[in-house]
Amino acid sequence: MEQIAYVNGSFVPLSEAKVSILDRGFLFADGIYEVAAVLDGKLIDNASHLARLERSVGEIELALPETTARIQEIQQELVKRNNLVNGMVYLEVTRGADTGRDFAFPKGVKPTLIMFTSTKDIVNAPSAKTGINVITVPDLRWTRRDIKSVALLAQVLAKQTAAAAGAGEAWMIEDGKVTEGGSSSCFILTQDDVIVTRQNGSEILPGCTRKAVVALAEERQLRVEERAFSVEEALAAKEAFITSASLFVQAVVSIDGKKVADGKPGPMTNRLREIYVEFAKATAV
Ligand code: PDD
């Protein structure tokens, strides 16, 4: 059976899900997106994703065409229509299709809202057991990375470089420090057991999984420090890991071909992953 997508008020087969070539998402990357995980047919940490969506659209003066409550209903309806058990819901809102290609905001144009789903067994992904290799690349992005914009060319190039090198993620580097992964937040565990992740700000996307992991760690009296760190520090660390909606918590076992510790996922990473999965299941909607 063909997958169902959502486009501007309608649920349609994926092959019929279309937007205009004049859509500003297509012409200018004038749009915002979110990815929420699905476990056992339920959305994970979705309130956090919808709060970030509202913030991102606010930062670019784009009005959502639906309330976030309605958006969640549509996400849930799409999961149901696709019989999705484990995977992700992708959603994108753009400034819509005008009659031409004016850079400035058009007047009276309705934003475009689309969604589709994909299947992935995030909990049992093989890389959750083995960890992943990462490579480093310069961070080529603009200076408002806190906005979850669909302008992802720098991340496409970064992740292609990683893929070509047989790595699972690219860590982006700026001024000698790791900003974040191509599509993930970065963490290390120092030799004195401090969990370190870069502080939020315009240099990185405020990851929803990052936020939950930091809160869950602090609730358990684990020490967390929000500050930038270098690749050298990561290579001298006890453990390194990444977080995102599409992989939860995943160990980083090498950086640019050099092992992190013994090159195996560490106990803290495994523990945080378990804690996160437990939280995810308990709060799913
Ligand atoms: N990416 N940093 C960047 C640059 C990201 O693109 C993402 C997520 C994250 C992690 O955020 P969260 O924990 O809210 O998923 C950090 C999504 C999954 C993607 O582009 O597919």
Side-chain angles (χ1 to χ4, degrees):
M1 221 190 68
E2 198 183 344
Q3 206 203 109
I4 303 297
Y6 172 89
V7 184
N8 295 326
S10 306
F11 292 93
V12 294
L14 190 59
S15 59
E16 291 166 31
K18 305 248 161 78
V19 295
S20 165
I21 63 162
L22 293 181
D23 194 280
R24 295 175 63 91
F26 181 66
L27 295 179
F28 300 118
D30 187 359
I32 300 295
Y33 78 109
E34 276 296 334
V35 179
V38 173
L39 276 191
D40 303 324
K42 288 185 172 170
L43 296 163
I44 302 307
D45 209 7
N46 202 46
S48 193
H49 288 283
L50 292 177
R52 187 173 64 190
L53 174 68
E54 277 200 299
R55 180 185 180 275
S56 289
V57 295
E59 291 298 305
I60 67 164
E61 296 171 52
L62 169 56
L64 287 176
E66 304 284 355
T67 63
T68 50
R70 177 66 194 137
I71 288 174
Q72 177 160 297
E73 282 173 12
I74 300 166
Q75 289 172 296
Q76 288 167 328
E77 175 71 23
L78 194 61
V79 166
K80 211 160 116 197
R81 286 185 186 233
N82 284 321
N83 296 313
L84 182 65
V85 181
N86 295 313
M88 277 95 69
V89 179
Y90 174 90
L91 79 83
E92 178 171 333
V93 52
T94 78
R95 213 179 301 275
D98 198 4
T99 52
R101 186 175 169 272
D102 279 332
F103 281 71
F105 301 167
K107 289 194 178 70
V109 169
K110 203 176 173 215
T112 299
L113 175 63
I114 65 96
M115 296 187 202
F116 60 85
T117 62
S118 56
T119 302
K120 183 182 176 187
D121 189 351
I122 303 172
V123 172
N124 302 304
S127 54
K129 287 205 179 65
T130 59
I132 60 157
N133 302 310
V134 309
I135 53 116
T136 60
V137 295
D139 196 331
L140 302 178
R141 297 174 299 164
W142 72 331
T143 53
R144 287 303 308 277
R145 303 159 189 162
D146 54 310
I147 299 170
K148 200 161 173 60
S149 146
V150 294
L152 293 171
L153 189 53
Q155 286 98 312
V156 166
L157 297 177
K159 289 179 79 89
Q160 173 55 30
T161 303
E169 179 61 298
W171 277 13
M172 298 183 284
I173 311 294
E174 187 171 65
D175 299 333
K177 297 279 166 43
V178 178
T179 52
E180 58 190 327
S183 60
S184 59
S185 311
C186 304
F187 291 72
I188 57 170
L189 177 71
T190 64
Q191 291 297 339
D192 51 351
D193 294 309
V194 182
I195 298 163
V196 179
T197 188
R198 193 175 180 121
Q199 72 279 10
N200 282 332
S202 56
E203 301 81 17
I204 63 166
L205 182 78
C208 295
T209 321
R210 173 199 176 284
K211 183 179 175 190
V213 165
V214 165
L216 291 164
E218 284 175 341
E219 275 167 29
R220 283 156 185 81
Q221 267 68 55
L222 298 169
R223 281 191 296 158
V224 179
E225 228 173 81
E226 298 188 47
R227 62 167 174 84
F229 59 85
S230 65
V231 170
E232 293 68 37
E233 209 181 338
L235 283 168
K238 265 190 183 169
E239 300 181 28
F241 60 95
I242 54 175
T243 64
S244 87
S246 54
L247 48 80
F248 296 166
V249 178
Q250 206 154 95
V252 168
V253 294
S254 82
I255 305 168
D256 289 333
K258 297 180 197 102
K259 274 187 196 172
V260 176
D262 63 355
K264 296 198 184 77
M268 179 65 87
T269 303
N270 289 337
R271 182 175 170 205
L272 289 173
R273 181 174 172 85
E274 274 168 34
I275 291 168
Y276 183 80
V277 171
E278 200 177 296
F279 152 84
K281 287 183 173 166
T283 58
V285 293

